[in-house]
Amino acid sequence: MRRLLPLVIVLVTGALVAKGWLRAGGLQVRAERSAGTAEQAVRSLMADVQAHNWDHAYATLDHANGIQESDFIHEVAGSDGSLRTYSVLQSFDLWPLHADADRSTVRVRMNWSSAVGSLDDLRDLSVVRDGNVCRVVWPKPNFPNVPLQVLPVNYLRWDVIGRRSDDWGAGSVDAPQVRITSMNAVERPDRVLILGEVENEDTVPAYLNVNATLLKPDGTAVEEQGSFDTISHRLLPKQVSPYRIDFPGLRLSQVQSVRMDVRALLVPASADPVISVENQTLGKDALGRKILNGALVNQSGEVVNIAQVLAAFYDSNGKVIWVSDGYVDQALLPQAPVPFAVNVPEDVATRVQSYRVVVNHYIAPTA
Amino acid sequence: MIVALKMIVTIRILVVLLAFPALGQSIAIRPPHTVIAGISFSVTTEGSGSATFYLLGPSHVVKKTIQLGQDLPISGSDVATSGLYQLVACDSSGCSSADLYVLPSSPERLSFLVHPSRVPVSTANAINATAVVSDRFRNTVVAPVTVMFHFSSADARPYSRSGPTSRGIAWLKIGSTTKQGPLQIVAAVGETSEARVIQQVASEACGLRMQATSEARSVRLRTDPVRDCSGNALPDGTIVSFTKVDDAGRSTVDTPLKKGVANAQFTLSGRARISVACGVVLGNEVSIAGQP
């Protein structure tokens, strides 16, 4: 009896641990980490990335291209406060593209759950056979190597100082003058969209919000929505931003008119950083979807942690027919091009005559 | 405030009700028809003996014991607020009442509002100046008075406009001048004046032009000093957009003005067309050959 109780406790504990391991997907993870085939190798790698098991992930890679573990982690987990550093790999899908005796190609679509929503990352990974084991060839990251230099940064910044006077009419400063320069209502299968552009006409920076109210024929409101994050909220003098307002579940036939409302606030702002948008082209991604891609170049000296691309697409009459947005999950280091891509619906792409891209940015405050 | 007003109304009703029995009695009070706010005056009373006197004003009530048949002095501080007052005297035989209208005194204060605080140059009817004239007790002076508006800026001759008040308010609309900078507007009535300063700022860019300097595989772009149609320089920080279209696709950069000009640089891939814009204003376009 004296030995039986500890034995029972050990057995029960062991059973509970095993049950927990099974329920946590231990068998699946173990299967994913065994790499007898190309798909299993990629699946194992993705499982390690999900679990942040970087040492094991790196160990299963093919090292013939000289990839370093730090570079691999740097690329997959992100760095410099980029959006990837605030993301986790939520799920992945993979399917083989090509296979022969020694080398295969597997396409993987990684779905990252990030601070701004889910982001897809599509990659074609080569897998080589090494004896009985398949190893993923992770392309060696090509990090920009900007030479050491001193970059003078002397752009303007605007501060708002002082306080309102209590004397009537004695000490007020008007809100910035902003104007909606175009507006277009578009119907999609699952929603109504209000698209257009807004300009800061003033000589001071503005923080603005664009709201739209859809009205019935009797003048009552159907629904009111704001542009949320599909707009550049902070506009410098004479800067133009596209905006898009989504009304899910509505049809244009339910709407008689639209009431637009733009509100602007006077805010402090800086003209730095300047981000150029280079080599923009309309094309297709690996899945055959229409995209607008290009590269962002941070022309200033400060690291931009998170960048958002907003693209306005125009038809032959210069009317805004679509507004897309997309986040870049890499940080924008000074002078280093970072690729971006935003989706364009197939039916819209055929009517696009021109387009214009602006960049929103977020810079983490320094300690 | 609401409670005080209710009390005043209640007191007035009570006093008026009390005054009904006095109709035809000998007690009477005779104030002047109008007086000026803040000025002391006398009320003639008729009758004999003592009575209770009430002065019921828009924001003030006075109660005192008086001797009938004597002139009753009323202090100027009791009639500081303009409007309709009611005077009531009551003794044991009943009450008597009379009305008195207190007019605002001479203009001594100006409340002055100028809108907007920033205005583009050369814009018609863009500036709205509104002055409210009041006396030293902040009573709005409803009698028409002439308000002078004096305008002065650094690069233009000062000028003045005048306008009569209507129910105490004078206003006018004027256009902005052609030169940017502060514009001082002074409203004046007699010895009283009030100043406001607004900023006249550059309007939209006009005649926007850039120069391109071709290098081996890139092009440097520099605008001429960016000015509006009146020749005012647009302020630094104003965004200028450069767009390049070549074999590599379309490239854009939004760059702020620095020292009045905007600079940009693009790499070239074949022949490129480059355009420049500032807000909704388009500038010139250049075509430049680059190495493919």
Short mmCIF file of all heavy atoms in Angstrom, two decimals, chain B residues 220-286:
data_model
loop_
_atom_site.label_atom_id
_atom_site.label_comp_id
_atom_site.label_asym_id
_atom_site.label_seq_id
_atom_site.Cartn_x
_atom_site.Cartn_y
_atom_site.Cartn_z
N ARG B 220 17.93 64.26 -61.66
CA ARG B 220 17.64 65.12 -60.51
C ARG B 220 16.62 66.17 -60.95
O ARG B 220 16.77 66.77 -62.01
CB ARG B 220 18.91 65.83 -60.02
CG ARG B 220 19.82 64.94 -59.24
CD ARG B 220 21.02 65.71 -58.71
NE ARG B 220 21.91 64.83 -57.98
CZ ARG B 220 21.74 64.48 -56.71
NH1 ARG B 220 20.71 64.97 -56.04
NH2 ARG B 220 22.59 63.67 -56.12
N LEU B 221 15.63 66.38 -60.10
CA LEU B 221 14.56 67.31 -60.43
C LEU B 221 14.52 68.41 -59.38
O LEU B 221 14.72 68.14 -58.19
CB LEU B 221 13.21 66.59 -60.47
CG LEU B 221 13.16 65.41 -61.44
CD1 LEU B 221 12.03 64.47 -61.08
CD2 LEU B 221 13.02 65.91 -62.86
N ARG B 222 14.28 69.59 -59.85
CA ARG B 222 14.22 70.73 -58.94
C ARG B 222 13.21 71.72 -59.49
O ARG B 222 13.29 72.09 -60.67
CB ARG B 222 15.61 71.37 -58.83
CG ARG B 222 15.70 72.58 -57.91
CD ARG B 222 17.11 73.17 -57.98
NE ARG B 222 17.21 74.39 -57.22
CZ ARG B 222 17.50 74.46 -55.93
NH1 ARG B 222 17.73 73.36 -55.25
NH2 ARG B 222 17.59 75.61 -55.31
N THR B 223 12.28 72.09 -58.68
CA THR B 223 11.30 73.06 -59.14
C THR B 223 11.89 74.46 -59.09
O THR B 223 12.83 74.73 -58.35
CB THR B 223 10.04 73.04 -58.27
OG1 THR B 223 10.41 73.42 -56.94
CG2 THR B 223 9.38 71.68 -58.25
N ASP B 224 11.32 75.33 -59.88
CA ASP B 224 11.59 76.76 -59.68
C ASP B 224 10.91 77.14 -58.37
O ASP B 224 10.06 76.40 -57.86
CB ASP B 224 10.98 77.58 -60.83
CG ASP B 224 11.69 77.30 -62.15
OD1 ASP B 224 12.79 76.72 -62.10
OD2 ASP B 224 11.12 77.63 -63.20
N PRO B 225 11.28 78.27 -57.78
CA PRO B 225 10.56 78.68 -56.57
C PRO B 225 9.05 78.64 -56.80
O PRO B 225 8.56 79.20 -57.79
CB PRO B 225 11.06 80.10 -56.32
CG PRO B 225 12.43 80.09 -56.91
CD PRO B 225 12.35 79.21 -58.13
N VAL B 226 8.36 77.96 -55.91
CA VAL B 226 6.92 77.74 -56.12
C VAL B 226 6.15 78.92 -55.54
O VAL B 226 6.27 79.23 -54.35
CB VAL B 226 6.48 76.42 -55.46
CG1 VAL B 226 4.99 76.17 -55.71
CG2 VAL B 226 7.30 75.25 -55.99
N ARG B 227 5.39 79.57 -56.41
CA ARG B 227 4.66 80.77 -56.01
C ARG B 227 3.22 80.68 -56.46
O ARG B 227 2.89 79.91 -57.37
CB ARG B 227 5.30 82.02 -56.63
CG ARG B 227 6.74 82.25 -56.21
CD ARG B 227 7.32 83.50 -56.83
NE ARG B 227 8.72 83.67 -56.49
CZ ARG B 227 9.15 84.13 -55.33
NH1 ARG B 227 8.29 84.53 -54.41
NH2 ARG B 227 10.44 84.25 -55.07
N ASP B 228 2.38 81.50 -55.83
CA ASP B 228 1.00 81.56 -56.29
C ASP B 228 0.88 82.62 -57.40
O ASP B 228 1.88 83.23 -57.78
CB ASP B 228 0.03 81.82 -55.13
CG ASP B 228 0.23 83.18 -54.49
OD1 ASP B 228 0.96 84.02 -55.06
OD2 ASP B 228 -0.34 83.43 -53.41
N CYS B 229 -0.32 82.83 -57.88
CA CYS B 229 -0.50 83.75 -59.02
C CYS B 229 -0.24 85.20 -58.65
O CYS B 229 -0.13 86.06 -59.53
CB CYS B 229 -1.92 83.60 -59.59
SG CYS B 229 -2.17 81.99 -60.35
N SER B 230 -0.16 85.51 -57.36
CA SER B 230 0.17 86.87 -56.94
C SER B 230 1.66 87.02 -56.62
O SER B 230 2.09 88.06 -56.14
CB SER B 230 -0.65 87.26 -55.70
OG SER B 230 -2.03 87.15 -55.96
N GLY B 231 2.41 85.97 -56.83
CA GLY B 231 3.85 86.04 -56.59
C GLY B 231 4.27 85.71 -55.18
O GLY B 231 5.45 85.86 -54.83
N ASN B 232 3.36 85.23 -54.35
CA ASN B 232 3.73 84.87 -52.98
C ASN B 232 4.33 83.47 -52.96
O ASN B 232 3.78 82.55 -53.59
CB ASN B 232 2.50 84.88 -52.07
CG ASN B 232 1.85 86.24 -52.02
OD1 ASN B 232 2.43 87.19 -51.51
ND2 ASN B 232 0.65 86.36 -52.57
N ALA B 233 5.41 83.31 -52.24
CA ALA B 233 6.03 81.99 -52.14
C ALA B 233 5.17 81.07 -51.28
O ALA B 233 4.71 81.47 -50.21
CB ALA B 233 7.42 82.12 -51.54
N LEU B 234 4.93 79.85 -51.78
CA LEU B 234 4.21 78.89 -50.95
C LEU B 234 5.08 78.51 -49.77
O LEU B 234 6.31 78.44 -49.89
CB LEU B 234 3.84 77.65 -51.77
CG LEU B 234 2.44 77.68 -52.39
CD1 LEU B 234 2.35 78.76 -53.46
CD2 LEU B 234 2.06 76.33 -52.99
N PRO B 235 4.48 78.28 -48.60
CA PRO B 235 5.31 78.04 -47.42
C PRO B 235 6.06 76.72 -47.49
O PRO B 235 5.60 75.77 -48.12
CB PRO B 235 4.27 78.01 -46.29
CG PRO B 235 2.98 77.69 -46.93
CD PRO B 235 3.04 78.25 -48.31
N ASP B 236 7.21 76.70 -46.86
CA ASP B 236 7.97 75.45 -46.78
C ASP B 236 7.10 74.39 -46.11
O ASP B 236 6.32 74.69 -45.20
CB ASP B 236 9.25 75.67 -45.98
CG ASP B 236 10.34 76.30 -46.84
OD1 ASP B 236 10.06 76.60 -48.02
OD2 ASP B 236 11.45 76.50 -46.33
N GLY B 237 7.28 73.17 -46.54
CA GLY B 237 6.46 72.08 -46.02
C GLY B 237 5.31 71.72 -46.94
O GLY B 237 4.74 70.64 -46.82
N THR B 238 4.99 72.61 -47.87
CA THR B 238 3.93 72.30 -48.85
C THR B 238 4.39 71.13 -49.72
O THR B 238 5.54 71.08 -50.17
CB THR B 238 3.66 73.53 -49.73
OG1 THR B 238 3.27 74.61 -48.88
CG2 THR B 238 2.56 73.26 -50.74
N ILE B 239 3.47 70.20 -49.95
CA ILE B 239 3.84 68.97 -50.67
C ILE B 239 3.81 69.20 -52.19
O ILE B 239 2.84 69.74 -52.73
CB ILE B 239 2.90 67.82 -50.29
CG1 ILE B 239 3.11 67.46 -48.82
CG2 ILE B 239 3.11 66.62 -51.19
CD1 ILE B 239 4.46 66.89 -48.50
N VAL B 240 4.88 68.77 -52.84
CA VAL B 240 4.96 68.76 -54.30
C VAL B 240 5.14 67.30 -54.73
O VAL B 240 5.96 66.59 -54.17
CB VAL B 240 6.13 69.62 -54.81
CG1 VAL B 240 6.31 69.49 -56.30
CG2 VAL B 240 5.92 71.08 -54.43
N SER B 241 4.34 66.88 -55.72
CA SER B 241 4.40 65.48 -56.16
C SER B 241 5.10 65.38 -57.50
O SER B 241 4.72 66.06 -58.46
CB SER B 241 2.98 64.92 -56.29
OG SER B 241 2.31 65.01 -55.07
N PHE B 242 6.11 64.53 -57.57
CA PHE B 242 6.79 64.24 -58.83
C PHE B 242 6.38 62.84 -59.27
O PHE B 242 6.31 61.92 -58.45
CB PHE B 242 8.32 64.26 -58.63
CG PHE B 242 8.88 65.60 -58.28
CD1 PHE B 242 9.08 65.97 -56.96
CD2 PHE B 242 9.24 66.50 -59.28
CE1 PHE B 242 9.60 67.21 -56.63
CE2 PHE B 242 9.77 67.74 -58.96
CZ PHE B 242 9.95 68.10 -57.64
N THR B 243 6.13 62.69 -60.55
CA THR B 243 5.76 61.37 -61.10
C THR B 243 6.61 61.09 -62.32
O THR B 243 6.72 61.94 -63.22
CB THR B 243 4.27 61.35 -61.49
OG1 THR B 243 3.50 61.68 -60.34
CG2 THR B 243 3.85 59.98 -61.99
N LYS B 244 7.21 59.93 -62.32
CA LYS B 244 8.04 59.50 -63.47
C LYS B 244 7.45 58.23 -64.05
O LYS B 244 7.09 57.31 -63.31
CB LYS B 244 9.47 59.25 -63.00
CG LYS B 244 10.39 58.75 -64.09
CD LYS B 244 11.53 57.91 -63.52
CE LYS B 244 11.03 56.57 -63.02
NZ LYS B 244 12.07 55.61 -62.73
N VAL B 245 7.32 58.18 -65.37
CA VAL B 245 6.87 56.96 -66.03
C VAL B 245 7.93 56.58 -67.05
O VAL B 245 8.28 57.37 -67.93
CB VAL B 245 5.51 57.17 -66.74
CG1 VAL B 245 5.07 55.88 -67.41
CG2 VAL B 245 4.46 57.62 -65.74
N ASP B 246 8.49 55.37 -66.89
CA ASP B 246 9.47 54.88 -67.86
C ASP B 246 9.30 53.37 -68.00
O ASP B 246 8.27 52.82 -67.59
CB ASP B 246 10.90 55.28 -67.46
CG ASP B 246 11.33 54.67 -66.13
OD1 ASP B 246 10.58 53.82 -65.60
OD2 ASP B 246 12.40 55.00 -65.63
N ASP B 247 10.31 52.71 -68.55
CA ASP B 247 10.18 51.26 -68.81
C ASP B 247 10.00 50.47 -67.51
O ASP B 247 9.43 49.38 -67.52
CB ASP B 247 11.43 50.75 -69.53
CG ASP B 247 11.53 51.34 -70.93
OD1 ASP B 247 10.51 51.90 -71.40
OD2 ASP B 247 12.61 51.27 -71.54
N ALA B 248 10.50 51.01 -66.41
CA ALA B 248 10.40 50.29 -65.13
C ALA B 248 9.03 50.46 -64.48
O ALA B 248 8.74 49.82 -63.48
CB ALA B 248 11.49 50.76 -64.17
N GLY B 249 8.23 51.33 -65.04
CA GLY B 249 6.91 51.58 -64.46
C GLY B 249 6.77 53.02 -64.03
O GLY B 249 7.46 53.91 -64.51
N ARG B 250 5.88 53.23 -63.08
CA ARG B 250 5.58 54.57 -62.59
C ARG B 250 6.22 54.74 -61.22
O ARG B 250 6.13 53.84 -60.37
CB ARG B 250 4.08 54.75 -62.49
CG ARG B 250 3.62 56.06 -61.89
CD ARG B 250 2.14 56.02 -61.64
NE ARG B 250 1.41 55.89 -62.89
CZ ARG B 250 0.84 56.91 -63.52
NH1 ARG B 250 0.86 58.11 -62.99
NH2 ARG B 250 0.21 56.74 -64.65
N SER B 251 6.88 55.85 -61.00
CA SER B 251 7.44 56.15 -59.68
C SER B 251 6.93 57.52 -59.25
O SER B 251 6.83 58.43 -60.07
CB SER B 251 8.97 56.17 -59.73
OG SER B 251 9.46 54.90 -60.09
N THR B 252 6.61 57.63 -57.98
CA THR B 252 6.12 58.91 -57.47
C THR B 252 6.82 59.24 -56.15
O THR B 252 7.22 58.33 -55.41
CB THR B 252 4.61 58.88 -57.19
OG1 THR B 252 4.33 57.78 -56.34
CG2 THR B 252 3.82 58.76 -58.46
N VAL B 253 6.95 60.50 -55.90
CA VAL B 253 7.44 60.91 -54.59
C VAL B 253 6.75 62.22 -54.22
O VAL B 253 6.64 63.13 -55.04
CB VAL B 253 8.97 61.02 -54.56
CG1 VAL B 253 9.49 62.02 -55.57
CG2 VAL B 253 9.46 61.37 -53.16
N ASP B 254 6.23 62.26 -53.01
CA ASP B 254 5.66 63.49 -52.45
C ASP B 254 6.72 64.13 -51.58
O ASP B 254 7.11 63.55 -50.55
CB ASP B 254 4.42 63.19 -51.59
CG ASP B 254 3.21 62.83 -52.44
OD1 ASP B 254 3.31 62.89 -53.67
OD2 ASP B 254 2.18 62.47 -51.86
N THR B 255 7.19 65.27 -51.98
CA THR B 255 8.30 65.87 -51.23
C THR B 255 7.92 67.29 -50.80
O THR B 255 7.27 68.01 -51.57
CB THR B 255 9.59 65.84 -52.08
OG1 THR B 255 10.67 66.32 -51.32
CG2 THR B 255 9.46 66.66 -53.33
N PRO B 256 8.30 67.69 -49.60
CA PRO B 256 7.91 69.04 -49.15
C PRO B 256 8.84 70.11 -49.68
O PRO B 256 10.02 69.84 -49.96
CB PRO B 256 8.02 68.92 -47.63
CG PRO B 256 9.01 67.85 -47.39
CD PRO B 256 8.96 66.91 -48.55
N LEU B 257 8.30 71.29 -49.82
CA LEU B 257 9.14 72.42 -50.21
C LEU B 257 10.15 72.72 -49.11
O LEU B 257 9.82 72.68 -47.93
CB LEU B 257 8.28 73.66 -50.43
CG LEU B 257 7.38 73.74 -51.65
CD1 LEU B 257 6.61 75.05 -51.63
CD2 LEU B 257 8.20 73.61 -52.92
N LYS B 258 11.37 72.98 -49.55
CA LYS B 258 12.39 73.46 -48.62
C LYS B 258 13.02 74.70 -49.24
O LYS B 258 13.47 74.64 -50.37
CB LYS B 258 13.47 72.39 -48.43
CG LYS B 258 13.28 71.56 -47.18
CD LYS B 258 14.54 70.87 -46.74
CE LYS B 258 14.89 69.69 -47.57
NZ LYS B 258 15.95 68.87 -46.95
N LYS B 259 13.03 75.77 -48.50
CA LYS B 259 13.52 77.05 -49.00
C LYS B 259 12.85 77.41 -50.32
O LYS B 259 13.49 77.85 -51.28
CB LYS B 259 15.04 77.02 -49.14
CG LYS B 259 15.74 76.88 -47.79
CD LYS B 259 17.23 76.91 -47.94
CE LYS B 259 17.88 76.79 -46.58
NZ LYS B 259 19.33 76.69 -46.64
N GLY B 260 11.58 77.09 -50.41
CA GLY B 260 10.79 77.52 -51.56
C GLY B 260 10.82 76.61 -52.75
O GLY B 260 10.07 76.82 -53.71
N VAL B 261 11.71 75.61 -52.74
CA VAL B 261 11.78 74.71 -53.90
C VAL B 261 11.68 73.27 -53.43
O VAL B 261 11.94 72.95 -52.27
CB VAL B 261 13.10 74.89 -54.70
CG1 VAL B 261 13.20 76.29 -55.25
CG2 VAL B 261 14.30 74.55 -53.84
N ALA B 262 11.30 72.40 -54.37
CA ALA B 262 11.22 70.97 -54.07
C ALA B 262 12.23 70.23 -54.93
O ALA B 262 12.45 70.59 -56.09
CB ALA B 262 9.81 70.45 -54.35
N ASN B 263 12.85 69.22 -54.34
CA ASN B 263 13.86 68.43 -55.04
C ASN B 263 13.46 66.97 -55.02
O ASN B 263 12.85 66.49 -54.06
CB ASN B 263 15.22 68.56 -54.36
CG ASN B 263 15.80 69.95 -54.52
OD1 ASN B 263 16.33 70.28 -55.57
ND2 ASN B 263 15.67 70.77 -53.49
N ALA B 264 13.83 66.25 -56.08
CA ALA B 264 13.61 64.80 -56.10
C ALA B 264 14.64 64.19 -57.02
O ALA B 264 15.29 64.88 -57.83
CB ALA B 264 12.20 64.48 -56.60
N GLN B 265 14.81 62.89 -56.87
CA GLN B 265 15.74 62.17 -57.73
C GLN B 265 15.11 60.83 -58.10
O GLN B 265 14.55 60.15 -57.24
CB GLN B 265 17.07 61.96 -57.00
CG GLN B 265 18.11 61.29 -57.87
CD GLN B 265 19.48 61.27 -57.23
OE1 GLN B 265 19.64 61.64 -56.08
NE2 GLN B 265 20.48 60.84 -57.98
N PHE B 266 15.21 60.46 -59.35
CA PHE B 266 14.71 59.17 -59.82
C PHE B 266 15.82 58.44 -60.57
O PHE B 266 16.63 59.08 -61.26
CB PHE B 266 13.54 59.35 -60.79
CG PHE B 266 12.26 59.80 -60.15
CD1 PHE B 266 11.67 61.01 -60.50
CD2 PHE B 266 11.62 59.00 -59.22
CE1 PHE B 266 10.47 61.41 -59.92
CE2 PHE B 266 10.41 59.41 -58.64
CZ PHE B 266 9.86 60.60 -58.99
N THR B 267 15.82 57.13 -60.46
CA THR B 267 16.66 56.35 -61.37
C THR B 267 15.89 56.19 -62.67
O THR B 267 14.66 56.19 -62.69
CB THR B 267 16.98 54.97 -60.79
OG1 THR B 267 15.75 54.34 -60.44
CG2 THR B 267 17.86 55.07 -59.56
N LEU B 268 16.64 56.07 -63.77
CA LEU B 268 16.00 56.02 -65.08
C LEU B 268 16.15 54.64 -65.70
O LEU B 268 17.16 53.97 -65.52
CB LEU B 268 16.64 57.06 -66.01
CG LEU B 268 16.33 58.52 -65.72
CD1 LEU B 268 17.14 59.42 -66.64
CD2 LEU B 268 14.84 58.80 -65.89
N SER B 269 15.13 54.26 -66.41
CA SER B 269 15.18 53.01 -67.15
C SER B 269 14.52 53.27 -68.50
O SER B 269 13.31 53.17 -68.64
CB SER B 269 14.45 51.92 -66.36
OG SER B 269 14.46 50.73 -67.08
N GLY B 270 15.35 53.69 -69.45
CA GLY B 270 14.80 54.06 -70.76
C GLY B 270 14.27 55.48 -70.74
O GLY B 270 14.51 56.26 -69.81
N ARG B 271 13.53 55.81 -71.77
CA ARG B 271 12.99 57.17 -71.86
C ARG B 271 11.90 57.37 -70.82
O ARG B 271 11.05 56.48 -70.63
CB ARG B 271 12.43 57.41 -73.27
CG ARG B 271 11.80 58.78 -73.46
CD ARG B 271 11.66 59.15 -74.92
NE ARG B 271 12.94 59.48 -75.53
CZ ARG B 271 13.53 60.68 -75.41
NH1 ARG B 271 12.95 61.65 -74.72
NH2 ARG B 271 14.69 60.91 -75.98
N ALA B 272 11.97 58.50 -70.17
CA ALA B 272 11.03 58.74 -69.07
C ALA B 272 10.28 60.04 -69.30
O ALA B 272 10.83 61.01 -69.85
CB ALA B 272 11.78 58.81 -67.75
N ARG B 273 9.02 60.04 -68.87
CA ARG B 273 8.22 61.26 -68.83
C ARG B 273 8.02 61.60 -67.37
O ARG B 273 7.60 60.75 -66.58
CB ARG B 273 6.86 61.05 -69.50
CG ARG B 273 6.88 61.12 -71.01
CD ARG B 273 5.49 61.09 -71.60
NE ARG B 273 4.81 59.83 -71.30
CZ ARG B 273 3.75 59.73 -70.51
NH1 ARG B 273 3.23 60.80 -69.96
NH2 ARG B 273 3.19 58.55 -70.27
N ILE B 274 8.34 62.82 -67.03
CA ILE B 274 8.27 63.22 -65.62
C ILE B 274 7.36 64.44 -65.50
O ILE B 274 7.49 65.40 -66.27
CB ILE B 274 9.67 63.56 -65.07
CG1 ILE B 274 10.60 62.35 -65.28
CG2 ILE B 274 9.61 63.92 -63.60
CD1 ILE B 274 12.04 62.64 -64.99
N SER B 275 6.43 64.37 -64.56
CA SER B 275 5.51 65.49 -64.35
C SER B 275 5.56 65.92 -62.89
O SER B 275 6.04 65.18 -62.02
CB SER B 275 4.09 65.10 -64.75
OG SER B 275 3.67 63.99 -63.99
N VAL B 276 5.06 67.11 -62.65
CA VAL B 276 5.08 67.66 -61.30
C VAL B 276 3.71 68.26 -61.00
O VAL B 276 3.03 68.77 -61.91
CB VAL B 276 6.22 68.71 -61.16
CG1 VAL B 276 5.99 69.90 -62.07
CG2 VAL B 276 6.37 69.17 -59.71
N ALA B 277 3.29 68.16 -59.75
CA ALA B 277 1.99 68.72 -59.33
C ALA B 277 2.10 69.20 -57.89
O ALA B 277 2.92 68.71 -57.11
CB ALA B 277 0.88 67.68 -59.46
N CYS B 278 1.26 70.16 -57.56
CA CYS B 278 1.18 70.65 -56.18
C CYS B 278 -0.31 70.75 -55.85
O CYS B 278 -1.00 71.62 -56.40
CB CYS B 278 1.88 72.00 -56.05
SG CYS B 278 1.82 72.65 -54.38
N GLY B 279 -0.79 69.85 -55.02
CA GLY B 279 -2.22 69.79 -54.76
C GLY B 279 -2.95 69.40 -56.04
O GLY B 279 -2.63 68.39 -56.66
N VAL B 280 -3.89 70.22 -56.47
CA VAL B 280 -4.62 69.92 -57.70
C VAL B 280 -4.06 70.69 -58.90
O VAL B 280 -4.63 70.66 -59.98
CB VAL B 280 -6.12 70.24 -57.53
CG1 VAL B 280 -6.77 69.32 -56.53
CG2 VAL B 280 -6.31 71.69 -57.11
N VAL B 281 -2.92 71.36 -58.68
CA VAL B 281 -2.33 72.16 -59.75
C VAL B 281 -1.23 71.35 -60.44
O VAL B 281 -0.32 70.84 -59.78
CB VAL B 281 -1.74 73.46 -59.18
CG1 VAL B 281 -1.03 74.25 -60.26
CG2 VAL B 281 -2.84 74.31 -58.55
N LEU B 282 -1.34 71.23 -61.76
CA LEU B 282 -0.33 70.49 -62.51
C LEU B 282 0.73 71.45 -63.02
O LEU B 282 0.42 72.59 -63.40
CB LEU B 282 -0.98 69.78 -63.70
CG LEU B 282 -1.93 68.64 -63.34
CD1 LEU B 282 -2.58 68.10 -64.61
CD2 LEU B 282 -1.20 67.53 -62.61
N GLY B 283 1.97 70.97 -63.05
CA GLY B 283 3.06 71.76 -63.58
C GLY B 283 3.47 71.25 -64.94
O GLY B 283 2.68 70.60 -65.64
N ASN B 284 4.70 71.55 -65.31
CA ASN B 284 5.14 71.13 -66.65
C ASN B 284 5.54 69.66 -66.65
O ASN B 284 5.63 69.01 -65.60
CB ASN B 284 6.31 72.01 -67.10
CG ASN B 284 7.54 71.83 -66.24
OD1 ASN B 284 7.42 71.64 -65.02
ND2 ASN B 284 8.71 71.87 -66.83
N GLU B 285 5.76 69.15 -67.83
CA GLU B 285 6.17 67.76 -67.99
C GLU B 285 7.47 67.76 -68.79
O GLU B 285 7.60 68.52 -69.75
CB GLU B 285 5.08 66.99 -68.71
CG GLU B 285 5.34 65.49 -68.80
CD GLU B 285 4.16 64.74 -69.39
OE1 GLU B 285 3.10 64.70 -68.73
OE2 GLU B 285 4.29 64.22 -70.51
N VAL B 286 8.42 66.93 -68.39
CA VAL B 286 9.66 66.83 -69.16
C VAL B 286 9.83 65.40 -69.62
O VAL B 286 9.38 64.45 -68.97
CB VAL B 286 10.90 67.27 -68.34
CG1 VAL B 286 10.82 68.71 -67.97
CG2 VAL B 286 11.08 66.40 -67.12
#
